[in-house]
Structure formats: structure tokens, C-alpha cells
Amino acid sequence: MSDTVTDNPALSRFELDVNGQTVYATYRRRGNVLHIPYVEAPPSLRGTGAAGRLMEGVMAIARAEGLTIVPICGYAANWMHRHREHHDLLAR
């Protein structure tokens, strides 16, 4: 299983393929700020850590592109709160 998160700009979302199922985070870009309003995992992948792996990939992409993040989605906000190593990516 690959944990490669890809950007799907046509759908404005980051995606992680897990055994043929897609975990994704929708986004809106405003300049260098990435707003994440929604994170979704198929029911069969919930509780497996798939959404967390997606978020790690989103953080890596944001860091590489010099973006900051506004986590609107409750899952994204809670995940970022728990992962202090990514607090520098929070938009101020």
C-alpha cells in the first residue's frame, strides 16, 4: 500500500488511494492559504488511520509549496491540534 497523497485540482481535493478506495480532503486555495472544509474516508476505512495518513501527505504538500492551512473541517482541525509538529502550518 502506498501512502502517496496526490492533488486532484479538477475536483479541488487531495486524495489517497487505499486498496482502490479514496480518502480525500477538499480544499480551496486563497493565495498561499489552503482552506480544508472537508475530510472524508469511506466507512470501511474509518478507524484504520487512512485519514491521518492523508493529512500527513497534505501537510507535506503544504510545506513543500509554502502554504499555510485553515482547517475548517472538525477532523482536520482536531488532527492538526494533536500534531504539534505541524502547528507552524496553521494560518494566522
Side-chain angles (χ1 to χ4, degrees):
M1 168 177 29
S2 170
D3 281 345
T4 303
V5 173
T6 57
D7 185 358
N8 183 339
L11 295 177
S12 296
R13 68 186 199 180
F14 294 105
E15 301 175 339
L16 173 65
D17 178 17
V18 179
N19 300 322
Q21 298 183 80
T22 303
V23 182
Y24 63 89
T26 60
Y27 66 78
R28 290 187 314 270
R29 290 181 191 244
R30 301 281 189 263
N32 288 335
V33 180
L34 189 65
H35 297 256
I36 302 177
Y38 195 68
V39 175
E40 176 68 24
S44 63
L45 293 177
R46 293 178 188 162
T48 68
R53 294 192 306 276
L54 169 75
M55 290 298 294
E56 284 290 349
V58 170
M59 297 302 115
I61 290 168
R63 197 172 297 286
E65 295 183 13
L67 303 172
T68 57
I69 297 173
V70 175
I72 299 165
C73 166
Y75 176 83
N78 287 330
W79 188 92
M80 287 194 77
H81 176 76
R82 289 190 319 268
H83 292 85
R84 295 184 186 279
E85 68 272 22
H86 300 300
H87 281 189
D88 62 311
L89 295 175
L90 286 168
R92 309 256 182 249

